[in-house]
Amino acid sequence: RLWYEWVGLLRRHPHAALWLQKYPPAKAARVHDMAKEEGQIDMSRLVMTPFFKSDHHIGIKALSDVFVDNPTYNAHSTAMDTLWGALPFVSLPEEKMAARVGASLLMALDSAWGVVRSVEDMSSLVQQMMRRPNILRRLRRRLQTARHSAPLFDTVRAVRNLEISLRLMWEVHAADSSGLGGRERPHIISRDVGPISPS
């Protein structure tokens, strides 16, 4: 289904290109064959590249205009790198955990604008970005700011939150081991410590 949206976007926007990672090779070859079968698509607009070295790939990804996530199995570390590179990112969450990663990352980056509800909404948002470069520039600026202030890339904050959660879990376990068992296990809710001020 997403393939047909991509093909439609290429047909409606003759200067656009679809940039995919050439992995796994067998699937990349199948995508290439599907594009040929569609006809009326200049194959030079289907760009497939191999893995890039880790010290280059964030900058290379940022050369594109928008990253469209795969709804069935979202990008994970690739999405983190993409967002750190301030590349506008669009994701459609589905039911399984692996299909909700992109939306979670966007929410943790205060960038809910990139979370869509349907393939049609995804196509519509991408088209808006393609038609109005000023939107892309504005979103890039927002991502450049958010990556230094939002929770997603705040490692110290994440570590403090994890430490608090682990301490709470241990306290519940210790209380249960002290003869307070027999009750239904409690839900543990750990509050976000918030931004950590530099000392």
Side-chain angles (χ1 to χ4, degrees):
R1 58 185 178 146
L2 189 58
W3 169 253
Y4 294 109
E5 291 297 330
W6 282 343
V7 170
L9 287 169
L10 288 174
R11 285 176 175 160
R12 287 188 292 273
H13 301 274
H15 300 294
L18 178 61
W19 187 359
L20 300 171
Q21 184 171 279
K22 196 174 184 178
Y23 181 83
K27 288 189 178 180
R30 177 61 187 137
V31 169
H32 191 272
D33 291 343
M34 288 169 63
K36 277 188 174 179
E37 290 167 11
E38 288 293 333
Q40 302 177 348
I41 296 178
D42 180 354
M43 295 302 291
S44 67
R45 296 170 63 204
L46 179 62
V47 181
M48 290 195 178
T49 52
F51 281 108
F52 297 110
K53 291 183 178 179
S54 58
D55 54 345
H56 293 148
H57 72 110
I58 294 178
I60 290 172
K61 282 184 178 70
L63 296 174
S64 47
D65 293 309
V66 58
F67 186 104
V68 182
D69 206 2
N70 182 335
T72 305
Y73 193 93
N74 291 176
H76 289 58
S77 56
T78 299
M80 292 284 285
D81 294 339
T82 297
L83 291 167
W84 181 258
L87 176 62
F89 183 94
V90 180
S91 189
L92 169 61
E94 293 190 338
E95 290 186 18
K96 294 184 178 179
M97 185 279 290
R100 305 184 69 81
V101 173
S104 296
L105 297 178
L106 283 163
M107 297 296 285
L109 197 57
D110 297 331
S111 301
W113 50 263
V115 181
V116 295
R117 295 182 177 273
S118 67
V119 171
E120 293 74 24
D121 286 348
M122 177 181 280
S123 179
S124 176
L125 179 57
V126 171
Q127 284 195 79
Q128 288 181 49
M129 294 178 181
M130 293 169 75
R131 288 175 179 154
R132 299 176 60 187
N134 61 310
I135 291 179
L136 283 172
R137 288 192 294 271
R138 187 164 68 246
L139 291 176
R140 280 185 183 270
R141 286 195 296 269
R142 286 175 63 178
L143 288 170
Q144 286 167 350
T145 301
R147 67 185 177 184
H148 296 293
S149 59
L152 182 61
F153 294 111
D154 191 339
T155 307
V156 174
R157 180 175 178 177
V159 170
R160 296 280 175 83
N161 283 331
L162 177 61
E163 289 172 344
I164 290 171
S165 298
L166 292 173
R167 190 176 298 115
L168 281 171
M169 286 189 283
W170 176 255
E171 289 171 358
V172 168
H173 170 75
D176 190 59
S177 299
S178 301
L180 300 178
R183 299 175 301 179
E184 185 176 336
R185 291 231 180 240
H187 292 284
I188 297 174
I189 300 174
S190 180
R191 181 178 297 176
D192 179 14
V193 299
I196 307 299
S197 300
S199 54

